[in-house]
Amino acid sequence: MEHDYVPLIFGSNNSETLESHYLLESIRRTADGMIIASAVSDLNYIDKILSQNEVPYLLVDQAPVVEGDQINANNYQGGSLLAEYLLQKAIKMWSLLQTLTQP
């Protein structure tokens, strides 16, 4: 690989149990760092486990963060940039996949 790293991507289907399992599995595999997009896990738990194991991490805007590093995305602006790109490339057929949440 050009950058000499292997990304591990886990999908938890909004299961806190699965997220916890993947978190511990990543530590077991000696992950150098993590980017986490979780809407369900306890952020204090994530911080405690990763800090104890000295694993740096970044939370991506799925849950509110009081402290620590985070990235917040502007979905409206991102959608606008994507639409502009598709129009410039004259792409006529495209699809949109999104998760629907139940009230």
Side-chain angles (χ1 to χ4, degrees):
M1 298 183 84
E2 183 178 325
H3 298 289
D4 197 29
Y5 67 89
V6 176
L8 301 174
I9 302 171
F10 301 107
S12 69
N13 200 25
N14 289 329
S15 165
E16 193 167 354
T17 302
L18 254 164
E19 287 184 8
S20 179
H21 169 74
Y22 292 146
L23 186 69
L24 296 173
E25 182 63 19
S26 296
I27 292 168
R28 187 185 73 78
R29 294 180 184 215
T30 63
D32 293 321
M34 294 187 198
I35 300 172
I36 301 170
S38 171
V40 296
S41 285
D42 177 1
L43 300 180
N44 291 323
Y45 171 75
I46 290 172
D47 182 62
K48 180 180 175 185
I49 295 296
L50 295 179
S51 295
Q52 285 175 347
N53 289 280
E54 299 179 348
V55 177
Y57 68 95
L58 180 65
L59 296 172
V60 181
D61 77 342
Q62 297 293 307
V65 176
V66 177
E67 295 180 18
D69 298 329
Q70 63 178 318
I71 294 176
N72 292 307
N74 181 329
N75 294 334
Y76 181 82
Q77 183 182 13
S80 178
L81 289 170
L82 174 60
E84 188 176 307
Y85 173 81
L86 293 172
L87 289 171
Q88 286 176 355
K89 297 293 183 183
I91 296 174
K92 300 194 186 298
M93 294 188 64
W94 54 275
S95 63
L96 171 66
L97 303 174
Q98 80 180 53
T99 304
L100 301 176
T101 56
Q102 299 294 326

